[in-house]
Amino acid sequence: MSINNFSKVVIVAKDEWRYWLRSKLAMTVLAIGLLLTLSSVVVTAITMLELSHDRHELQSNAEQSFVDQPDRHPHRMVHYGHYAFRTPSPLSTLDPGIDAYTGNSIFLEGHRQNSAMFADQRQGTALTKLGSLTPAFIVQTLAPLLLILIGYSSISRERESQTLSYLLAQGTSGITLITGKGLALLSVVGLVIAPLAISALFTVSAGESLLAVASFVVGYALYLTVWVLLILLASSVFSKNSGSFTALAFVWILLCIVMPRVASTSASTAVPSAGKIETDFAVKAELRKLGDGHNTNDPAFKQFKQSLLKKYNVNSIDELPVNFRGLVASESEAKQANVLNQFAELRMQSELKQTQVSRYFGWVSPMVAIRSLSMIVVGTSIETHHRFLRETEQLRFDFVQGLNKIHIEELDYKDDMNRNANAAATKKARVSAQNWQILQDFNFNVDSADVRAQRSVPAFLQLLLWIVVLVGGIKFLGKRLL
């Protein structure tokens, strides 16, 4: 673009701003957009910081509560259990993603894999289930609507007031006029995402990667650029403001309201998954085949018993140098964990396939693309949730097997078998509270910025394709603008 054309573009953009400054509607919309973005950034940041502090404190309290337990039978501590909490990532102050639906803590105990608990949306009222006013929601859903209200008449207004032909006759090409209008709208985009960008930069001081912050801001800038181009295209096509506004309102409803729901519905239809009740029955049926780890006489452990007698070269379990009940508990826990992990992996693979199907809709809806990109870059996507589940399961297994090891090595088998004879026998079948120092420090961190950036590449490509196609359409129309 020559310097002369660039100066014309700037003049058109300035003229558009003068029109907006005279328009009460444009100023009101712009003020609402800025106010909503600012307020949601501040409120969500405070909420997430409080959550982060609370979860750190709850994690410490849970660990302290466990180690403060008195002398007990080791298996009672297996059922006493432990909690693992997921602290939010720094950037999740701007997009909580699926965290609000999946839960953020898990109760760890023997023989079971519990689901994550305390999801905000599960605990909320019916109104909160409609969605929170997060910065991501504001920019993804409301910002395009505000841009439409400001810019729907950018070109059609000139045509309707019959000033378009004068502008073109004075040497201003259609491309220059549209570019100038687009520059003015892009400056509005800059104002809307400025609070988001500044807030994202602050997360660097909390340990967030600069690459993740840059990906986050660039992703939203590309998304709103798509909407600017859509607005310019519609305003160039229609000769009347009413036609341009109606078309853009329909496109907004289609892309921001309908398509995300079509994507999730299509995903669940394309990749059907078993319901919770059906899965629970299947899991219990498989676990039943493994025998009862609390019963050393269960036939399921007959072969295990024979292998132990052979290994230690003894004739009865009373002669074993270790506690047979603890060994059975450990063997049972290992087999149960294997079955539970198989079902958990199947469920996670199903959820991941559904998510991938849903993300394909980013090619036809920029809203789906930015939503996927945002959650991936921020670290609140389904992949991060699955890693949290896997890490907590490993934590659960290690902690339960650690207690079973104490059961095997620290508690005499005869004392263990006589534990219910009387109060003295019960007291004798306990181990020292010093053994409870087995918990590992649990501190969950999101994936590295490189991994998140790599996962977000398809979403970036989807947004870039939208921009390329729309720029091509605008260039075509710009040469024929009249």
Side-chain angles (χ1 to χ4, degrees):
M1 180 181 288
S2 65
I3 296 176
N4 186 38
N5 280 339
F6 180 72
S7 62
K8 287 182 179 178
V9 167
V10 174
I11 290 171
V12 172
K14 285 181 177 177
D15 184 65
E16 191 70 3
W17 263 102
R18 277 193 287 271
Y19 171 78
W20 289 338
L21 291 172
R22 292 195 301 268
S23 168
K24 290 181 181 177
L25 173 65
M27 285 299 97
T28 304
V29 168
L30 191 57
I32 290 173
L34 286 172
L35 190 64
L36 277 175
T37 311
L38 273 171
S39 59
S40 65
V41 163
V42 172
V43 171
T44 309
I46 292 172
T47 304
M48 296 306 287
L49 286 173
E50 287 178 348
L51 276 176
S52 179
H53 178 266
D54 289 346
R55 290 177 196 175
H56 270 117
E57 191 173 340
L58 287 168
Q59 186 70 65
S60 299
N61 290 343
E63 291 171 2
Q64 193 60 45
S65 176
F66 186 89
V67 299
D68 285 347
Q69 292 302 302
D71 296 354
R72 281 187 172 180
H73 190 286
H75 201 72
R76 286 197 64 190
M77 293 302 289
V78 169
H79 288 284
Y80 179 81
H82 176 50
Y83 281 93
F85 292 86
R86 178 177 57 192
T87 50
S89 64
L91 265 180
S92 65
T93 55
L94 301 173
D95 186 359
I98 65 168
D99 282 9
Y101 302 89
T102 56
N104 48 59
S105 63
I106 292 185
F107 177 58
L108 310 174
E109 60 178 329
H111 325 315
R112 299 189 60 179
Q113 279 184 1
N114 294 312
S115 304
M117 303 181 294
F118 305 134
D120 293 342
Q121 295 300 324
R122 292 182 205 162
Q123 300 173 82
T125 64
L127 284 177
T128 60
K129 291 179 190 300
L130 295 175
S132 304
L133 204 64
T134 64
F137 174 79
I138 297 288
V139 181
Q140 290 172 9
T141 307
L142 298 186
L145 189 60
L146 299 177
L147 285 173
I148 290 171
L149 290 172
I150 292 177
Y152 73 94
S153 64
S154 297
I155 308 297
S156 58
R157 182 181 73 245
E158 305 289 357
R159 188 181 282 122
E160 196 172 74
S161 60
Q162 297 183 349
T163 55
L164 180 60
S165 55
Y166 290 106
L167 287 170
L168 296 176
Q170 289 173 358
T172 303
S173 68
I175 295 292
T176 301
L177 181 66
I178 295 175
T179 306
K181 302 282 187 179
L183 182 62
L185 280 171
L186 286 174
S187 63
V188 175
V189 168
L191 287 174
V192 170
I193 65 171
L196 202 71
I198 293 169
S199 184
L201 281 173
F202 273 113
T203 64
V204 175
S205 62
E208 188 53 272
S209 161
L210 199 56
L211 174 62
V213 171
S215 301
F216 181 78
V217 175
V218 170
Y220 276 98
L222 290 176
Y223 171 66
L224 292 181
T225 300
V226 169
W227 277 102
V228 167
L229 295 172
L230 276 170
I231 291 166
L232 292 172
L233 187 68
S235 189
S236 301
V237 168
F238 290 92
S239 57
K240 298 214 177 268
N241 292 335
S242 56
S244 173
F245 180 77
T246 304
L248 285 168
F250 174 77
V251 170
W252 178 79
I253 292 170
L254 180 67
L255 298 184
C256 290
I257 307 296
V258 178
M259 288 309 295
R261 283 148 184 81
V262 170
S264 58
T265 304
S266 301
S268 59
T269 305
V271 187
S273 58
K276 186 176 185 308
I277 295 176
E278 183 183 348
T279 304
D280 286 348
F281 275 117
V283 170
K284 284 184 178 177
E286 288 298 317
L287 292 179
R288 213 172 286 124
K289 297 175 185 174
L290 301 178
D292 182 3
H294 297 95
N295 180 12
T296 54
N297 294 318
D298 193 306
F301 300 105
K302 185 178 179 182
Q303 189 176 356
F304 178 64
K305 176 182 172 183
Q306 294 302 323
S307 67
L308 285 173
L309 295 177
K310 185 177 179 181
K311 177 182 177 182
Y312 289 97
N313 194 24
V314 293
N315 296 320
S316 69
I317 55 176
D318 292 334
E319 298 175 29
L320 287 172
V322 289
N323 189 323
F324 181 62
R325 284 193 74 236
L327 287 169
V328 169
S330 179
E331 176 73 5
S332 173
E333 190 65 41
K335 288 183 176 178
Q336 286 180 344
N338 186 38
V339 170
L340 292 171
N341 284 338
Q342 288 177 14
F343 277 93
E345 284 298 326
L346 282 175
R347 178 178 49 77
M348 285 190 277
Q349 290 304 319
S350 174
E351 290 174 350
L352 199 56
K353 286 179 183 175
Q354 288 181 341
T355 304
Q356 294 296 352
V357 170
S358 174
R359 286 174 182 169
Y360 289 145
F361 280 78
W363 297 109
V364 294
S365 168
M367 170 72 170
V368 176
I370 188 61
R371 196 171 62 174
S372 304
L373 187 153
S374 181
M375 287 193 289
I376 290 171
V377 170
V378 163
T380 54
S381 64
I382 191 72
E383 290 91 343
T384 306
H385 176 62
H386 285 168
R387 197 163 66 76
F388 172 68
L389 295 179
R390 290 189 179 100
E391 289 190 12
T392 51
E393 167 54 20
Q394 187 60 50
L395 179 72
R396 183 197 75 84
F397 184 73
D398 291 344
F399 131 78
V400 171
Q401 290 298 60
L403 289 169
N404 285 333
K405 187 171 184 290
I406 294 168
H407 191 172
I408 294 167
E409 298 176 351
E410 302 292 329
L411 188 60
D412 182 75
Y413 176 66
K414 291 178 181 174
D415 292 339
D416 195 10
M417 293 302 289
N418 293 327
R419 64 190 181 283
N420 296 324
N422 51 51
T426 301
K427 190 174 181 181
K428 199 174 181 181
R430 294 175 180 171
V431 299
S432 168
Q434 293 179 349
N435 289 293
W436 311 149
Q437 306 281 343
I438 61 167
L439 292 179
Q440 301 170 20
D441 290 336
F442 182 72
N443 187 21
F444 180 78
N445 294 310
V446 295
D447 294 305
S448 68
D450 291 341
V451 171
R452 284 181 276 162
Q454 191 176 356
R455 284 184 189 144
S456 65
V457 168
F460 271 111
L461 291 177
Q462 289 168 346
L463 291 174
L464 287 172
L465 180 66
W466 270 90
I467 290 174
V468 169
V469 171
L470 289 170
V471 167
I474 288 172
K475 274 190 174 181
F476 178 79
L477 287 173
K479 292 175 182 176
R480 295 160 180 77
L481 194 66
L482 189 59

